[in-house]
Amino acid sequence: MNKTVYILCVSLLTMLKSYAQNEPIELVYKEVDTVSLAMKLYYPEDYVEGERRPAIILFFGGGWNKGSINQFRMQAKYFASKGMLAVTADYRVRTRHGTTPFECVKDARSAIRYLREHADELGIDTSRIAAGGGSAGGHIAAAADLTFIDEISDNLSVDPRPNALVLFNPVFNNGPDNYGYDRLNERYIEISPFHLIRKGAAPAVVFLGTDDKLIPIKTAKEYQTKMLEVGSRCDLFLYEGQGHGFFNYSPKKNSKYYQQTLDESVKFLLSLGFIKHD
């Protein structure tokens, strides 16, 4: 048997087994220098080979310094239960790879390009790809839409922009007096989503606790205002008394805000046609 065909057959069998067992499929989406970056794909239980489903890709938080691909695994499973192909993606961070926030954004855009380039094999509707994440992960999801920071080895003819955004306390203003400016300095203008909002920005839903020490409420409201001014939707939900990371799932704590933010995310995606009514 031809080696390429054999690999494809093995891959297909692995995927079909994963669908049946409701396990994520892990793929390498990017190799750069000596680093291989993986993504995990969570398929709906009723997925049938050949279908094209809406997708959502989620990026972990950690200040561009650290983080785990598994942070959003529970959210990914939930979105998959609603009929979406949900993806969690690794990206380069400072503690593991010695990188800057610019490499984080490059990887986010590369990951979305990968989903678009391989939409036929993966079963993705390329007109309905959402991106999201928490904190720095929310930043790179928004930056994937609004910046022009690319890996030169990418196929630049493929659109890296998501069609919608689901943002959990995102650090999306990196200008003076805001998060990340001390690392970015005058280059903030290249990477700060707030400063790059323009006509055609992807519709977004934003979740923020009122006691978040990294993102002032004022910043989130200003972001929403700028989005509305250019004709883009931006739904903002504030959670009284909650701090940074309030939305995370933990079996050891009350899942109230984890579930509330998921419910609002589903309503948002439902209104855009990414999710169907039950």
Side-chain angles (χ1 to χ4, degrees), residues 52-126:
R52 285 181 176 267
R53 295 291 186 103
I56 182 166
I57 183 167
L58 299 164
F59 301 103
F60 58 80
W64 311 299
N65 295 318
K66 58 184 180 179
S68 168
I69 190 174
N70 293 317
Q71 179 187 354
F72 281 95
R73 69 188 183 284
M74 296 303 292
Q75 286 90 342
K77 289 179 179 180
Y78 191 80
F79 287 125
S81 76
K82 297 297 181 180
M84 300 184 76
L85 194 172
V87 182
T88 60
D90 198 8
Y91 61 92
R92 288 170 290 174
V93 291
R94 184 165 64 174
T95 54
R96 284 188 278 141
H97 308 104
T99 46
T100 74
F102 290 89
E103 283 70 46
C104 302
V105 174
K106 288 178 183 180
D107 293 344
R109 284 166 69 87
S110 294
I112 295 171
R113 281 195 171 102
Y114 183 91
L115 296 181
R116 292 192 185 281
E117 281 193 280
H118 297 273
D120 288 343
E121 307 99 283
L122 299 177
I124 294 172
D125 177 352
T126 56

Side-chain angles (χ1 to χ4, degrees), residues 18-36:
S18 295
Y19 300 155
Q21 297 179 353
N22 197 27
E23 297 175 352
I25 297 162
E26 186 165 333
L27 301 173
V28 172
Y29 74 88
K30 181 176 181 177
E31 294 182 336
V32 55
D33 299 323
T34 60
V35 178
S36 294

Side-chain angles (χ1 to χ4, degrees), residues 5-259:
V5 174
Y6 174 75
I7 291 171
L8 286 173
C9 288
V10 172
S11 176
L12 179 58
L13 288 171
T14 301
M15 291 176 75
L16 291 173
K17 182 179 178 183
S18 295
Y19 300 155
Q21 297 179 353
N22 197 27
E23 297 175 352
I25 297 162
E26 186 165 333
L27 301 173
V28 172
Y29 74 88
K30 181 176 181 177
E31 294 182 336
V32 55
D33 299 323
T34 60
V35 178
S36 294
L37 295 172
M39 58 172 54
K40 294 183 179 182
L41 287 72
Y42 296 78
Y43 279 83
E45 287 187 8
D46 63 349
Y47 178 78
V48 176
E49 185 190 350
E51 287 185 320
R52 285 181 176 267
R53 295 291 186 103
I56 182 166
I57 183 167
L58 299 164
F59 301 103
F60 58 80
W64 311 299
N65 295 318
K66 58 184 180 179
S68 168
I69 190 174
N70 293 317
Q71 179 187 354
F72 281 95
R73 69 188 183 284
M74 296 303 292
Q75 286 90 342
K77 289 179 179 180
Y78 191 80
F79 287 125
S81 76
K82 297 297 181 180
M84 300 184 76
L85 194 172
V87 182
T88 60
D90 198 8
Y91 61 92
R92 288 170 290 174
V93 291
R94 184 165 64 174
T95 54
R96 284 188 278 141
H97 308 104
T99 46
T100 74
F102 290 89
E103 283 70 46
C104 302
V105 174
K106 288 178 183 180
D107 293 344
R109 284 166 69 87
S110 294
I112 295 171
R113 281 195 171 102
Y114 183 91
L115 296 181
R116 292 192 185 281
E117 281 193 280
H118 297 273
D120 288 343
E121 307 99 283
L122 299 177
I124 294 172
D125 177 352
T126 56
S127 69
R128 294 185 289 174
I129 297 178
S135 194
H139 167 269
I140 68 172
D145 180 41
L146 295 169
T147 70
F148 302 92
I149 301 167
D150 291 309
E151 197 73 67
I152 58 172
S153 58
D154 278 1
N155 180 354
L156 300 182
S157 67
V158 178
D159 186 4
R161 298 180 67 183
N163 304 104
L165 293 168
V166 179
L167 307 176
F168 301 84
N169 53 226
V171 289
F172 49 18
N173 183 337
N174 313 118
D177 300 322
N178 282 280
Y179 187 86
Y181 181 75
D182 57 333
R183 289 179 64 183
L184 301 166
N185 298 309
E186 294 309 311
R187 290 195 69 189
Y188 79 87
I189 199 67
E190 302 170 44
I191 198 171
S192 173
F194 177 84
H195 296 87
L196 295 167
I197 292 171
R198 60 191 182 278
K199 186 176 176 61
V205 61
V206 179
F207 305 105
L208 182 67
T210 60
D211 283 359
D212 194 307
K213 305 305 181 187
L214 301 182
I215 309 152
I217 298 172
K218 179 173 179 280
T219 294
K221 289 183 175 180
E222 288 174 347
Y223 194 97
Q224 182 185 43
T225 297
K226 285 191 72 172
M227 286 281 283
L228 296 175
E229 285 174 350
V230 300
S232 289
R233 177 178 172 183
C234 185
D235 299 351
L236 174 61
F237 292 90
L238 299 174
Y239 294 83
E240 191 66 35
Q242 297 306 301
H244 203 67
F246 72 100
F247 58 87
N248 283 312
Y249 173 82
S250 171
K252 297 180 180 179
K253 70 176 187 180
N254 190 310
S255 61
K256 173 183 175 181
Y257 295 109
Y258 158 79
Q259 193 61 53

